[in-house]
Amino acid sequence: MQPRRCCLLLHLHLLLYLLLLSGTQADLEGTFTIRLLQTSIFQNTSFVDTEGLGLLEDIELGSLDKHTWTIRFYQPWVRPALPRGDWDTIENMIKIYLQKFNHLINKGAMQKDVPYPFVAQCMAGCEVYPNRTSRAFAYVGYNGQDFLSFNMDNATWLLSQDTNLSQYVQAVLQNYTAFSELVEVLFNDTCVDDIEMLLHYGKAALERQEPPVATVFARMPKPDQLLLVCRVTGFYPRPISVAWLQDGQEVLPGPALNTSAILPNADLTYQLRSILAVAPHDGHSYACRVRHRSLGTRSLLIPWGNSEEVVLIAGLGAGLLAAVALAVISALWVWRHRKHQQMEESESRNSILSKEA
Ligand SMILES: *[C@@H]1O[C@H](CO)[C@@H](O)[C@H](O)[C@H]1NC(C)=O
Ligand SMILES: *[C@@H]1O[C@H](CO)[C@@H](O)[C@H](O)[C@H]1NC(C)=O
Ligand SMILES: *[C@@H]1O[C@H](CO)[C@@H](O)[C@H](O)[C@H]1NC(C)=O
Ligand SMILES: *[C@@H]1O[C@H](CO)[C@@H](O)[C@H](O)[C@H]1NC(C)=O
Ligand SMILES: *[C@@H]1O[C@H](CO)[C@@H](O)[C@H](O)[C@H]1NC(C)=O
Ligand SMILES: *[C@@H]1O[C@H](CO)[C@@H](O)[C@H](O)[C@H]1NC(C)=O
Ligand SMILES: *[C@@H]1O[C@H](CO)[C@@H](O)[C@H](O)[C@H]1NC(C)=O
């Protein structure tokens, strides 16, 4: 833990800063965050494993090759944003920084009898709000725990844990005013412009939309309990709304409802599941409702216990859904009649897409 530990992040950030020079406008709305992450595993005094990663929202911009300390680009739009010579300069700065970083950390670790192996992590970045103001942040971690954070308002390092080691590192960091000034300039002052530049180059990646695919099935762990499972996957971006409807009414949060965290898939889409516990044959109708940006104002509605019919309903109100579900169960001809009149085929299996008022 030494003063320059975050400089990798600053150097990486410098390239974002350089992107500014060509000046463009962004036209994306919302709050956006840039994060630069460094993880260094100190195996012993002569062996350090280093990882570096740059993120815009959840999109990986690039990483450091741990053997050569060169930048690997993950997005085709990041590298062309700078001339080759600038990338060479940045890579050289990173290499020099990492050498110094490792040297200083090992020196400090020996001075304070820090046992090996240990992990040092640093995260720095900023977020820009729709009103074009920004908030910058920098955190230092030690062995997976919060260690120090940088307060942008008064340019001081705050202890996240009060130990001899954290106090020592705080003192070392605080001594380097040049470092604090760099953090301020790069993250606090230029964040808005930086992010706007990246939003311009990465517009297509940030606007990418993948519609959710939802399936509903049931499990019966006990004879008197039926678990209705709504599995939703393959969607991007991350924000989503998944609810259970009982007779067309949204089931409110409670002990019967259990919705998982949103988990990543390997292809930068997300998944989650929502489980509703009901009594078997309780006479109610149930449906899983999914709302997502990719669906616009429509919702995905997957009734439980219905046929494998695949239907797209346009202009169907939420209240009508239960009626439709009942109609499907009781009389298939009603279903077919409606379908011929006003429905189209959809690709989504076992689902009803409805436009809600
Ligand atoms: C340091 O750790 C590396 C990797 O675990 C190992 O190969 C090397 O022998 C160690 N060196 C010393 C001096 O302990
Ligand atoms: C801008 O938006 C952020 C987040 O909503 C808010 O905290 C901040 O106070 C706003 N700033 C101004 C100047 O409106
Ligand atoms: C960071 O920016 C905010 C808002 O522009 C400002 O109020 C604050 O003083 C700045 N902090 C530093 C350390 O410059
Ligand atoms: C900086 O601000 C933080 C939070 O407001 C406060 O806890 C800390 O004491 C301040 N440090 C200095 C040196 O003023
Ligand atoms: C912190 O350092 C002081 C003085 O060097 C020592 O007495 C104390 O035991 C240390 N505390 C911890 C938690 O290591
Ligand atoms: C910080 O700087 C002061 C004055 O230059 C020096 O006495 C002190 O030892 C330094 N502290 C650390 C932890 O480097
Ligand atoms: C929700 O589901 C998870 C995983 O199936 C389970 O561990 C947890 O206990 C459940 N919570 C409730 C409140 O039922």
Side-chain angles (χ1 to χ4, degrees):
M1 274 61 54
Q2 296 292 335
R4 290 198 179 84
R5 61 176 308 155
C6 290
C7 290
L8 160 63
L9 306 173
L10 294 175
H11 291 331
L12 283 175
H13 195 85
L14 196 58
L15 70 92
L16 308 179
Y17 182 55
L18 291 170
L19 291 178
L20 279 179
L21 303 177
S22 52
T24 58
Q25 295 286 315
D27 37 18
L28 288 168
E29 291 284 312
T31 295
F32 292 96
T33 308
I34 294 180
R35 285 185 192 82
L36 300 171
L37 313 169
Q38 179 198 350
T39 301
S40 293
I41 305 171
F42 288 79
Q43 303 281 6
N44 51 46
T45 49
S46 55
F47 188 85
V48 187
D49 231 353
T50 305
E51 286 177 16
L53 184 66
L55 293 161
L56 174 59
E57 293 295 291
D58 54 1
I59 299 170
E60 296 186 349
L61 301 176
S63 72
L64 272 193
D65 183 294
K66 69 160 84 172
H67 301 294
T68 61
W69 291 348
T70 52
I71 300 169
R72 282 180 308 206
F73 297 92
Y74 291 159
Q75 305 296 330
W77 41 271
V78 178
R79 184 177 192 125
L82 279 188
R84 187 177 173 88
D86 288 2
W87 286 116
D88 291 345
T89 306
I90 290 161
E91 280 183 344
N92 284 336
M93 288 194 303
I94 289 172
K95 284 172 190 163
I96 292 165
Y97 155 72
L98 285 175
Q99 276 160 9
K100 286 189 173 168
F101 173 81
N102 292 349
H103 176 74
L104 285 169
I105 293 273
N106 278 321
K107 206 173 112 191
M110 283 187 278
Q111 218 165 357
K112 295 308 265 185
D113 280 331
V114 174
Y116 286 80
F118 63 89
V119 184
Q121 283 168 295
C122 193
M123 174 169 83
C126 61
E127 61 184 347
V128 169
Y129 307 114
N131 60 16
R132 280 187 55 90
T133 64
S134 67
R135 186 187 72 89
F137 51 84
Y139 299 95
V140 174
Y142 169 68
N143 279 345
Q145 295 188 325
D146 293 344
F147 200 61
L148 297 169
S149 63
F150 189 67
N151 186 323
M152 288 295 164
D153 297 332
N154 55 19
T156 55
W157 287 92
L158 304 174
L159 298 177
S160 304
Q161 53 174 266
D162 198 357
T163 61
N164 280 352
L165 185 61
S166 64
Q167 284 172 10
Y168 171 76
V169 176
Q170 183 192 37
V172 172
L173 286 172
Q174 208 62 61
N175 258 12
Y176 284 75
T177 52
F179 172 80
S180 304
E181 282 160 16
L182 255 183
V183 170
E184 279 169 38
V185 169
L186 292 180
F187 288 109
N188 203 37
D189 298 348
T190 66
C191 177
V192 173
D193 297 327
D194 288 355
I195 287 200
E196 288 196 347
M197 177 60 63
L198 277 167
L199 294 185
H200 173 77
Y201 279 91
K203 193 167 185 288
L206 285 156
E207 285 182 336
R208 172 176 157 249
Q209 293 187 358
E210 303 288 346
V213 173
T215 45
V216 166
F217 55 93
R219 272 195 261 128
M220 207 163 193
K222 294 180 266 180
D224 63 339
Q225 196 188 41
L226 193 62
L227 295 181
L228 303 183
V229 182
C230 182
R231 183 171 179 272
V232 185
T233 190
F235 56 90
Y236 189 88
R238 199 173 184 279
I240 196 161
S241 149
V242 175
W244 278 101
L245 305 182
Q246 183 190 55
D247 302 327
Q249 294 283 8
E250 184 170 331
V251 177
L252 299 175
L257 191 62
N258 188 352
T259 301
S260 73
I262 298 176
L263 302 170
N265 291 320
D267 59 351
L268 193 51
T269 63
Y270 291 94
Q271 59 164 305
L272 84 164
R273 56 180 59 201
S274 179
I275 302 176
L276 182 68
V278 301
H281 312 296
D282 65 358
H284 294 291
S285 73
Y286 293 96
C288 177
R289 185 191 64 201
V290 181
R291 289 176 169 158
H292 187 256
R293 191 188 300 170
S294 64
L295 302 173
T297 56
R298 296 173 306 177
S299 302
L300 205 54
L301 283 165
I302 307 97
W304 177 70
N306 283 340
S307 71
E308 293 292 316
E309 292 278 349
V310 175
V311 183
L312 182 80
I313 304 176
L316 190 72
L320 269 180
L321 180 78
V324 171
L326 280 173
V328 169
I329 294 163
S330 55
L332 253 177
W333 71 265
V334 173
W335 182 265
R336 294 211 175 93
H337 179 69
R338 276 172 179 251
K339 190 166 104 178
H340 288 142
Q341 279 199 328
Q342 46 169 268
M343 301 175 188
E344 304 163 40
E345 288 280 317
S346 116
E347 308 96 35
S348 278
R349 286 219 151 258
N350 195 23
S351 66
I352 296 173
L353 212 51
S354 94
K355 189 176 183 96
E356 298 195 350

